[in-house]
């Protein structure tokens, strides 16, 4: 008779592999001295916000990097989306992928524009361009596509559809800072493209966002809209909001830009480490960033296939017990979040690939604060769990371990 020994995993009572949580989205922080020096300059000038010199410098640098005429910086990516949508005059219905971060849809719904959910292509995770035309109605005013994980959409086909059907075309490029498509930098496609500089992004400005566009009129409208619609000192020309980026955020953004190559290099090293340590692991497939185009590799995403002896959620619970706070981005799909779930209770039937992906993908920690040794440990956990899949499966089923995670706090718990 063989005696089953329990593998060394926290779900079986071992100490977690990491004493401190290993996060997805730990901020990339560049040269502290460079950040602090700029903050000193802000205080010396006593100019804190409202189109300040650092915001302008940051806008110029981002526009130059992307080879685009205008970069309009904003306080975050969500407001940047909202302003771009409004400045472009989108109304009625706008087609969006269901597999994205909720902000993509909220930016529409916030201004009472209906997001119409389109399924995604299982190979690219981006909007399925073959499914768009069937969703166009007389109320459709635009398409808001997402370059998910920083891999650009099929922009040529989207531009064709938008032109032929006379629709606005926006890209949510929150993941695609510094990316290119067939040698052309992001920012040059559609009517405009929206970046996020949130703390968790490859290039952060604490909070921040921007719209990139080559359309002069659109850029000047967005500049007015982000500043309450003021066209003169006492005169307002539009419904506006407060979407301004502060000087301190621009200081962080500029310092991050100076370290951007280092962040890219760290992500490349980490990605390669995942690729080699996960190679050959049954049912685990790494989302690839092939080709000569620029990619930040800021999202290390695995798909857990049907041939994996454990489900995505089982692996997720195993990782969380080890203090590896992997994320199920973007579970359960925006169409299953409120208010969309109530508005479109049958949407799930229309987006089967989104539903499938939302059950299969897991985002793993990377970024400048994650080292290859950490990655070796993460891969080792996955390998041990898969090798002992029967025991893991039984343990999770019998003991009912729940991944009870406070992602914004410091302690991850998988409690029995
Ligand atoms: N469109 C798309 C496709 C997007 O992905 C996003 C944002 C947007 C639009 C909107 O852009 P913004 O308005 O955010 O500029 C995070 C981010 O908050 C969000 O920016 C991002 N996408 C999304 C994919 O992820 P959460 O709720 O999953 O995680 P959060 O912010 O709590 O942080 C994740 C982890 O990072 C935490 O476990 C801890 C760590 N962390 C986070 C922060 C903020 C740190 O270690 N330090 C920090 O300062 O949304």
């Amino acid at each position: 008779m063989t005696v089953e020994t329990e593998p060394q995993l926290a779900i079986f009572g071992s100490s977690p592999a990491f004493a401190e949580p290993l996060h997805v989205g730990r901020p990339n922080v560049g040269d502290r001295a460079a950040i602090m020096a700029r903050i000193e300059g802000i205080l010396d000038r006593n100019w804190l916000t409202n189109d300040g010199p650092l915001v302008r410098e940051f806008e110029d640098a981002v526009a130059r990097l992307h080879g685009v005429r205008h970069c309009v910086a904003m306080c975050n990516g969500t407001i940047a989306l909202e302003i771009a949508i409004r400045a472009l005059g989108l109304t009625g219905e706008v087609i969006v992928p269901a597999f994205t971060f909720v902000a993509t849809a909220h930016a529409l719904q916030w201004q009472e524009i209906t997001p119409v959910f389109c399924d995604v292509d299982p190979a690219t995770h981006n909007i399925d361009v073959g499914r768009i035309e069937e969703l166009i109605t007389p109320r459709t005013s635009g398409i808001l596509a997402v370059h998910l994980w920083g891999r650009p959409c099929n922009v040529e086909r989207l531009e064709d559809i938008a032109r032929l059907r006379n629709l606005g075309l926006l890209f949510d490029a929150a993941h695609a800072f510094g990316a290119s498509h067939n040698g052309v930098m992001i920012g040059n496609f559609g009517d405009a493209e929206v970046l996020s500089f949130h703390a968790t992004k490859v290039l952060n400005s604490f909070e921040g966002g921007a719209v990139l566009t080559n359309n002069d009129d659109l850029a000047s409208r967005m500049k007015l809209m982000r500043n309450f619609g003021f066209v003169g000192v006492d005169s307002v020309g539009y419904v506006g909001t407060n979407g301004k980026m502060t000087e301190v955020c621009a200081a962080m953004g500029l310092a991050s830009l100076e370290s951007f190559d280092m962040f890219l290099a760290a992500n490349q090293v980490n990605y390669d480490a995942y690729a080699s340590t996960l190679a050959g692991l049954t049912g685990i497939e790494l989302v690839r960033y092939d080709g000569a185009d620029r990619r930040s590799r800021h999202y290390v995403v695995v798909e857990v296939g049907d041939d994996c002896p454990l489900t995505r959620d089982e692996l997720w619970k195993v990782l969380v017990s080890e203090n590896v706070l992997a994320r199920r981005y973007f579970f359960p799909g925006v169409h299953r979040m409120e208010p969309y779930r109530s508005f479109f209770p049958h949407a799930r039937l229309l987006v089967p690939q989104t539903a499938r992906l939302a059950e299969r993908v897991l985002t793993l920690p990377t970024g400048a604060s994650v080292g290859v040794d950490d990655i070796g440990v993460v891969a080792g956990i996955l390998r041990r769990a898969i090798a002992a899949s029967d025991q893991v499966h039984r343990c999770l089923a019998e003991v009912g371990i729940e991944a009870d995670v406070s992602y914004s706090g410091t302690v991850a718990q998988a409690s029995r």
Side-chain angles (χ1 to χ4, degrees):
M1 186 182 110
T2 53
V3 180
E4 268 188 341
T5 50
E6 285 188 335
Q8 211 191 349
L9 289 169
I11 57 166
F12 297 115
S14 301
S15 302
F18 291 90
E20 295 293 321
L22 190 67
H23 290 278
V24 168
R26 206 85 175 124
N28 282 342
V29 177
D31 181 350
R32 282 176 189 225
I35 300 167
M36 294 307 175
R38 283 200 174 85
I39 293 175
E40 291 285 354
I42 294 169
L43 298 177
D44 290 345
R45 281 188 296 279
N46 207 3
W47 193 272
L48 309 185
T49 183
N50 288 22
D51 207 15
L54 294 189
V55 167
R56 287 187 172 215
E57 191 184 335
F58 182 58
E59 289 179 330
D60 288 348
V62 172
R64 244 191 340 272
L65 178 68
H66 292 85
V68 65
R69 287 170 66 83
H70 304 281
C71 167
V72 184
M74 311 262 185
C75 55
N76 61 54
T78 305
I79 295 285
L81 276 170
E82 287 174 16
I83 289 179
I85 288 163
R86 194 160 196 125
L88 205 54
L90 302 186
T91 56
E93 295 174 1
V94 170
I95 297 167
V96 291
F99 194 56
T100 180
F101 187 59
V102 71
T104 316
H106 276 355
L108 295 161
Q109 189 62 48
W110 189 255
Q111 30 203 344
E112 301 196 352
I113 299 168
T114 305
V116 173
F117 295 112
C118 185
D119 210 357
V120 292
D121 177 339
T124 64
H125 301 188
N126 282 328
I127 196 163
D128 183 347
V129 290
R131 304 295 306 276
I132 290 177
E133 301 219 47
E134 67 202 51
L135 299 173
I136 297 175
T137 74
R139 297 187 69 230
T140 309
S141 63
I143 302 167
L144 171 47
V146 182
H147 301 308
L148 206 76
W149 317 136
R151 299 192 300 182
C153 304
N154 184 345
V155 292
E156 292 80 9
R157 185 82 188 96
L158 286 162
E159 287 182 338
D160 283 348
I161 297 171
R163 193 175 47 250
L164 288 171
R165 306 300 293 256
N166 197 24
L167 301 174
L169 178 59
L170 267 182
F171 290 99
D172 177 338
H175 299 183
F177 184 91
S180 65
H181 175 68
N182 294 336
V184 179
M185 292 298 283
I186 287 303
N188 289 285
F189 301 109
D191 292 297
E193 306 205 48
V194 178
L195 300 171
S196 164
F197 310 121
H198 181 257
T200 55
K201 294 292 186 283
V202 63
L203 182 127
N204 87 81
S205 64
F206 300 135
E207 287 271 5
V211 188
L212 303 179
T213 183
N214 288 313
N215 180 326
D216 299 345
D217 289 341
L218 188 65
S220 47
R221 257 196 316 279
M222 290 189 296
K223 282 184 183 172
L224 299 174
M225 284 180 171
R226 77 174 168 186
N227 186 28
F228 313 103
F230 274 111
V231 290
V233 177
D234 296 318
S235 123
V236 168
Y238 296 95
V239 174
T241 184
N242 185 349
K244 289 168 283 155
M245 177 178 269
T246 64
E247 285 290 274
V248 78
C249 288
M252 184 64 173
L254 284 164
S256 297
L257 267 176
E258 285 162 2
S259 300
F260 186 50
D261 287 346
M262 192 182 86
F263 301 152
L264 290 182
N267 280 354
Q268 176 79 63
V269 166
N270 286 352
Y271 183 85
D272 292 345
Y274 274 115
S276 61
T277 53
L278 296 178
L281 206 47
T282 310
I284 301 290
E285 200 181 323
L286 197 56
V287 162
R288 301 174 71 95
Y289 296 99
D290 293 336
D293 270 308
R294 295 176 189 224
R295 302 281 179 267
S296 73
R297 293 171 176 76
H298 198 58
Y299 290 89
V300 173
V301 181
V302 291
E303 249 187 272
V304 181
D306 298 332
D307 51 340
C308 183
L310 294 172
T311 65
R312 186 277 310 272
D313 281 356
E314 286 172 327
L315 289 173
W316 177 59
K317 288 175 184 178
V318 166
L319 287 172
V320 170
S321 329
E322 305 286 352
N323 248 337
V324 179
L325 304 194
R327 297 300 301 262
R328 298 185 297 176
Y329 290 141
F330 288 103
F331 177 83
V334 181
H335 62 294
R336 289 178 60 201
M337 294 176 171
E338 292 295 355
Y340 315 109
R341 194 162 82 172
S342 299
F343 288 172
F344 315 110
H346 305 302
R348 195 171 185 180
L349 302 173
L350 302 174
V351 293
Q353 297 303 337
T354 298
R356 183 171 164 276
L357 273 180
E359 300 291 339
R360 289 162 71 97
V361 297
L362 201 54
T363 302
L364 300 174
T366 189
S369 66
V370 175
V372 290
D373 291 349
D374 299 325
I375 290 165
V377 175
V378 173
I381 294 166
L382 291 172
R383 209 166 270 286
R384 285 200 299 284
I386 288 173
S389 57
D390 286 346
Q391 286 157 283
V392 169
H393 187 68
R394 264 199 316 274
C395 171
L396 292 174
E398 285 167 13
V399 189
I401 287 178
E402 287 299 320
D404 170 21
V405 186
S406 165
Y407 280 105
S408 54
T410 51
V411 180
Q413 294 167 342
S415 53
R416 288 175 186 236

